[in-house]
């Protein structure tokens, strides 16, 4: 056995104690026990937005670690990945989806039970995965902008923990009356033009805000982002579009601009809310780029790929 293999007996576990209903905390000791029985020393870190993650990554010896486990929702994943990128941490990541919105975990087809999560984390099934960058911030699943995109930030955390993703829908309904068109200019190799939009999403994964098929053709390994702009439209056309989004067939709707790109520049003269993986995003203008296969994720042997129903999956050999 090589020295490198012998040394990689530590696991960094970063968890958000406030994610979801706090169920992860109740399983924390059992999870640590399973990894210890497998021969690994787990170092748990209570994740937050304070400088603790910077301190941990500044002082860690990567050669001693097998992996990083992130337990939480999309926002927790985003916080950890940004800290990893700041400190050039290149360790494979296992995601334990325990938040209100686990959109990227859904995309990967990760199990919902902790025994299944541990099994994936202890496997050797690793998939190189794209991440995106908008200005100075990285994201793994979605960046959004427009009238409705700050819904997750406005939603009562206690309500999210009680009724889950339905809280986003309820809050979103109260915000519909605030919709107003925003003039925006898009510049990319695939499409350049000016549009009037209500909101738009830039997707790496397929699911956002609990809408499972908002980007049904997304592939987080193809080096491309899926851009979807929802144009200004009469209110009576919104309900049909909503159902199109639920079923994942909205990309052909006349009120939706859709294309894929590896670089995009957005400009507007308005003060527009932005959101990155459920957290407050960057200010305009926005420059998007893709870092192809920049992170490595532990995944099931066959990746979900949005449950498209056509049998298409991303596999570890793609």
């Amino acid at each position: 056995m090589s020295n490198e293999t012998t040394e990689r007996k530590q696991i960094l576990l970063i968890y958000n104690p406030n994610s979801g209903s706090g169920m992860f905390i109740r399983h924390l000791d059992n999870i640590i026990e399973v990894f210890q029985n497998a021969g690994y020393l787990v170092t748990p870190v209570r994740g937050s937005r304070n400088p603790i993650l910077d301190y941990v990554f500044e002082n860690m010896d990567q050669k001693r670690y097998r992996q990083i486990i992130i337990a939480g929702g999309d926002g927790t994943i985003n916080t950890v990945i940004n800290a990893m990128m700041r400190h050039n941490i290149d360790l494979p990541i296992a995601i334990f989806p325990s938040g209100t919105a686990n959109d990227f975990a859904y995309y990967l087809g990760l199990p919902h039970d902790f025994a299944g999560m541990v099994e994936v984390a202890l496997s050797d099934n690793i998939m190189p995965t794209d991440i995106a960058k908008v200005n100075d911030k990285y994201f793994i699943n979605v960046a959004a902008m427009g009238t409705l995109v700050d819904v997750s930030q406005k939603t009562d955390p206690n309500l999210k923990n009680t009724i889950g993703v339905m809280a986003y829908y309820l809050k979103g309904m109260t915000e519909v009356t605030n919709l107003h068109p925003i003039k925006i200019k898009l510049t990319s190799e695939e499409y350049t033009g000016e549009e009037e939009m209500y909101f738009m999403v830039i997707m790496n994964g397929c699911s956002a805000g609990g809408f499972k098929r908002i980007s049904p053709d997304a592939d987080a390994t193809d080096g491309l982002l899926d851009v979807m702009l929802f144009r200004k439209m009469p209110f009576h056309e919104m309900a049909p579009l909503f159902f199109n989004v639920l079923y994942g067939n909205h990309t052909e709707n006349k009120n939706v601009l859709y294309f894929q790109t590896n670089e995009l520049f957005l400009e507007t003269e308005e003060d527009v809310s932005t959101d990155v993986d459920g957290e407050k995003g960057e200010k305009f203008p926005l420059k998007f780029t893709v870092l192809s296969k920049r992170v490595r994720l532990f995944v099931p042997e066959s990746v979900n790929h949005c449950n498209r129903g056509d049998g298409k999956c991303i596999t570890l050999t793609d």
Side-chain angles (χ1 to χ4, degrees):
M1 183 178 292
S2 69
N3 289 334
E4 180 176 336
T5 303
T6 302
E7 289 178 348
R8 292 188 181 274
K9 286 297 184 180
Q10 297 186 45
I11 293 173
L12 180 63
L13 167 58
I14 302 171
Y15 67 94
N16 183 348
N18 300 314
S19 291
S21 60
M23 184 176 294
F24 178 80
I25 297 297
R26 296 195 289 273
H27 289 80
L28 180 56
D29 185 67
N30 289 336
I31 290 170
I32 292 175
E33 181 184 20
V34 172
F35 280 105
Q36 285 185 178
N37 290 340
Y40 297 101
L41 174 64
V42 178
T43 302
V45 174
R46 194 177 192 270
S48 65
R49 294 181 181 83
N50 65 34
I52 188 63
L53 292 183
D54 289 313
Y55 175 81
V56 169
F57 289 140
E58 282 174 5
N59 292 280
M60 77 181 303
D61 181 357
Q62 295 188 58
K63 293 180 180 179
R64 295 185 176 275
Y65 285 83
R66 179 182 193 265
Q67 66 197 143
I68 294 174
I69 297 174
I70 306 174
D74 295 321
T76 305
I77 299 169
N78 181 277
T79 298
V80 176
I81 284 181
N82 272 273
M84 291 176 65
M85 296 296 293
R86 285 195 299 272
H87 298 283
N88 296 313
I89 303 298
D90 184 20
L91 289 169
I93 299 167
I95 296 172
F96 283 21
S98 57
T100 302
N102 302 295
D103 288 308
F104 201 70
Y106 171 80
Y107 168 78
L108 296 175
L110 294 173
H112 300 289
D113 62 292
F114 287 110
M117 297 177 198
V118 171
E119 182 180 354
V120 171
L122 286 173
S123 75
D124 294 320
N125 301 321
I126 296 176
M127 183 176 78
T129 306
D130 303 338
I131 60 172
K133 186 177 184 182
V134 51
N135 293 356
D136 293 324
K137 189 167 186 177
Y138 300 91
F139 66 95
I140 197 166
N141 188 54
V142 58
M145 55 236 47
T147 309
L148 297 178
V149 301
D150 57 353
V151 165
S152 64
Q153 299 161 26
K154 295 179 179 178
T155 304
D156 184 343
N158 294 323
L159 188 62
K160 288 195 290 185
N161 290 340
T162 302
I163 64 174
V165 76
M166 183 60 68
Y168 294 132
Y169 297 157
L170 295 176
K171 183 62 180 176
M173 290 172 63
T174 68
E175 297 289 321
V176 168
T177 55
N178 296 326
L179 275 176
H180 69 276
I182 298 165
K183 292 182 179 179
I184 191 167
K185 181 180 178 181
L186 301 85
T187 304
S188 73
E189 183 177 340
E190 293 75 14
Y191 176 85
T192 295
E194 295 185 359
E195 296 279 347
E196 282 191 282
M197 70 164 193
Y198 282 137
F199 55 95
M200 69 182 297
V201 291
I202 317 294
M203 301 291 302
N204 190 40
C206 69
S207 172
F211 289 94
K212 302 300 186 184
R213 300 181 181 180
I214 197 165
S215 185
D217 294 320
D219 180 345
T221 67
D222 64 0
L224 297 172
L225 295 171
D226 286 45
V227 180
M228 243 164 297
L229 180 146
F230 295 82
R231 293 181 166 113
K232 173 186 175 182
M233 69 191 82
F235 275 92
H236 70 270
E237 295 183 6
M238 288 185 179
L241 178 57
F242 175 80
F243 286 102
N244 285 160
V245 171
L246 285 180
Y247 289 101
N249 55 15
H250 54 287
T251 56
E252 301 299 323
N253 189 294
K254 66 179 182 180
N255 294 312
V256 177
L257 169 67
Y258 168 71
F259 62 95
Q260 294 178 313
T261 186
N262 62 6
E263 189 169 302
L264 174 66
F265 189 66
L266 299 178
E267 301 170 90
T268 182
E269 295 181 358
E270 299 190 41
D271 183 14
V272 179
S273 297
T274 67
D275 179 287
V276 176
D277 287 340
E279 304 294 319
K280 186 175 178 61
E282 300 285 279
K283 296 251 182 214
F284 276 81
L286 303 175
K287 181 180 180 180
F288 292 86
T289 54
V290 180
L291 286 74
S292 179
K293 299 183 177 179
R294 176 60 179 81
V295 298
R296 294 171 290 150
L297 301 178
F298 286 89
V299 295
E301 290 187 9
S302 185
V303 178
N304 179 346
H305 198 73
C306 298
N307 292 324
R308 289 162 50 106
D310 59 4
K312 180 178 179 180
C313 291
I314 304 169
T315 64
L316 300 177
T317 58
D318 278 354

